[in-house]
Amino acid sequence: LRDAKRKGSNILSFKSTRAYPRVEFMKPYYKTPVKSDSKCGDAADQCLDHDVGNELYLQLYNCDTEASPKPDWAMRAKKQIYRPDYVLSHFVHYSTVTKGLIDSRQVGRRRYIEDPVSERFTDELKEAVLLHTKKMLPHETKDWKSICKGLGGKYDTCHVGFKWPQGLLPKNDPKTSKDSDGFIFNCFPNDRIEKYWIPMLKAEMEKLNNRQGSFFWE
């Protein structure tokens, strides 16, 4: 955002698409007296949930349903970061009151449109990209073994992430769009997140854990 400010940008918008939890980090979920998601039955493989281990939440959801650059329809649920000294009021997806609006003296007169340099979408390949890591609830993965193979109903969607192999582009060829077990590839890991940010975050968390441990024993 500081770099963008030098070029006259005060508000950066991100195209938003849903990320799926990666199947390799999931475990069977079924209803028990302790776990009460009633939409999941008591069959062991009917639903899935996060298998808490060494992976980070960021890694679990590093599988976006759209590769970058994302399509224009992903603008409809955009997210924003902005300079708080410039955006005076923000609501959900929109910067509703800005210094540009106040300075234009158009409050209450007609619709004000922010300058396209001041408010713009990021270049996902050169600047920044949004990974929307909203949690997928267990019941949203119900019947995943059939749905994720394309054997569900007309309106069924697989909410479990089966990542496209690196270098393999999406095609309509059924021989190359599924893994060896028949599960359809449906999401794209961000290589920069996987190879740079996740290792860095894990290393910093390990340092923090070591410091906390030494404080405790002292």
Side-chain angles (χ1 to χ4, degrees):
L1 190 58
R2 286 193 293 267
D3 290 340
K5 172 59 178 175
R6 299 187 187 101
K7 299 177 182 178
S9 297
N10 298 294
I11 307 163
L12 294 180
S13 299
F14 298 85
K15 296 177 183 178
S16 179
T17 53
R18 189 79 178 265
Y20 287 162
R22 287 157 55 173
V23 67
E24 64 264 36
F25 300 131
M26 305 289 279
K27 65 180 179 181
Y29 178 100
Y30 49 93
K31 184 181 177 182
T32 69
V34 176
K35 297 182 290 187
S36 59
D37 193 330
S38 60
K39 295 181 181 179
C40 291
D42 55 7
D45 287 342
Q46 194 171 21
C47 298
L48 294 176
D49 197 11
H50 178 200
D51 185 11
V52 180
N54 292 325
E55 78 288 342
L56 303 176
Y57 195 82
L58 177 62
Q59 189 173 13
L60 168 67
Y61 280 93
N62 184 24
C63 215
D64 207 315
T65 52
E66 295 289 339
S68 293
K70 296 175 183 177
D72 288 346
W73 60 257
M75 294 178 178
R76 87 256 181 269
K78 67 181 180 182
K79 307 297 185 291
Q80 294 185 324
I81 58 174
Y82 53 85
R83 296 181 59 82
D85 61 337
Y86 184 82
V87 176
L88 308 180
S89 179
H90 194 274
F91 180 74
V92 189
H93 306 296
Y94 307 101
S95 297
T96 53
V97 181
T98 66
K99 288 186 68 176
L101 170 63
I102 300 300
D103 294 343
S104 73
R105 302 178 183 274
Q106 293 179 12
V107 178
R109 296 183 181 179
R110 60 186 178 88
R111 184 185 178 191
Y112 170 77
I113 299 177
E114 192 72 27
D115 181 89
V117 175
S118 178
E119 179 178 353
R120 63 176 177 83
F121 280 89
T122 62
D123 183 328
E124 294 184 352
L125 301 181
K126 296 180 180 179
E127 289 183 310
V129 65
L130 170 74
L131 183 66
H132 189 183
T133 60
K134 182 179 179 179
K135 179 176 174 59
M136 197 69 68
L137 299 175
H139 72 262
E140 294 179 277
T141 70
K142 187 177 180 181
D143 297 327
W144 67 279
K145 280 193 170 182
S146 59
I147 293 174
C148 295
K149 291 182 178 181
L151 302 177
K154 180 179 179 180
Y155 299 105
D156 287 329
T157 301
C158 175
H159 291 143
V160 180
F162 291 87
K163 59 184 180 180
W164 277 91
Q166 190 172 18
L168 184 62
L169 297 177
K171 298 179 180 178
N172 291 325
D173 184 353
K175 294 181 180 179
T176 60
S177 61
K178 299 179 180 181
D179 66 15
S180 58
D181 294 319
F183 292 105
I184 300 171
F185 301 132
N186 62 353
C187 59
F188 304 85
N190 183 296
D191 197 52
R192 179 72 168 171
I193 291 176
E194 196 73 14
K195 296 181 179 179
Y196 179 79
W197 290 110
I198 289 174
M200 178 185 289
L201 183 54
K202 283 186 175 181
E204 292 303 315
M205 290 177 67
E206 183 65 25
K207 291 179 184 178
L208 179 61
N209 288 337
N210 290 338
R211 286 200 298 269
Q212 289 178 335
S214 64
F215 293 155
F216 177 79
W217 290 112
E218 290 175 359

